[in-house]
Amino acid sequence: RSIPNKLGGVIALVMSIAILFILPILHVNKSQGLQFYPLNQILFWYMVIIIILLTWIGARPVESPFILTGQILTVLYFSYYILNPMISKFWDKFLN
């Protein structure tokens, strides 16, 4: 619903599932948990809220305010997977 093009929607669907499989392979943090990464803890809760809002938006009718909100939340969903590793690397460099 958030992507008006059918091919773009299919690619986004495949990427949203594939990124969950690829993310553990790319995990290169020096620490296993998030207890030493306070910015990533904030991003984690940011992601939880985005997933809840995307679930809620998916149940709404396809109307004007819900379409734009869904598109914004979709961009924020994918930006999490770009920001999270970058902040982890920054935090590792900052601690050393």
Side-chain angles (χ1 to χ4, degrees):
R1 289 189 193 217
S2 296
I3 301 171
N5 185 356
K6 283 192 176 208
L7 179 62
V10 170
I11 290 172
L13 176 68
V14 170
M15 289 301 296
S16 67
I17 301 298
I19 206 163
L20 297 175
F21 288 109
I22 294 170
L23 198 61
I25 297 169
L26 298 177
H27 182 74
V28 293
N29 295 348
K30 296 186 185 212
S31 177
Q32 290 294 327
L34 285 179
Q35 66 267 23
F36 300 115
Y37 298 100
L39 294 176
N40 290 55
Q41 289 176 357
I42 294 169
L43 274 179
F44 170 77
W45 290 111
Y46 161 82
M47 184 63 168
V48 169
I49 292 169
I50 287 174
I51 290 173
I52 291 169
L53 287 175
L54 277 171
T55 304
W56 177 73
I57 287 293
R60 301 289 113 211
V62 183
E63 293 177 353
S64 179
F66 302 124
I67 294 172
L68 180 63
T69 306
Q71 290 173 344
I72 292 170
L73 289 171
T74 301
V75 169
L76 293 175
Y77 174 82
F78 284 110
S79 69
Y80 169 81
Y81 294 108
I82 295 169
L83 288 174
N84 193 30
M86 289 173 37
I87 291 176
S88 295
K89 287 180 183 181
F90 167 76
W91 198 255
D92 284 337
K93 288 182 182 180
F94 181 72
L95 291 177
N96 289 334

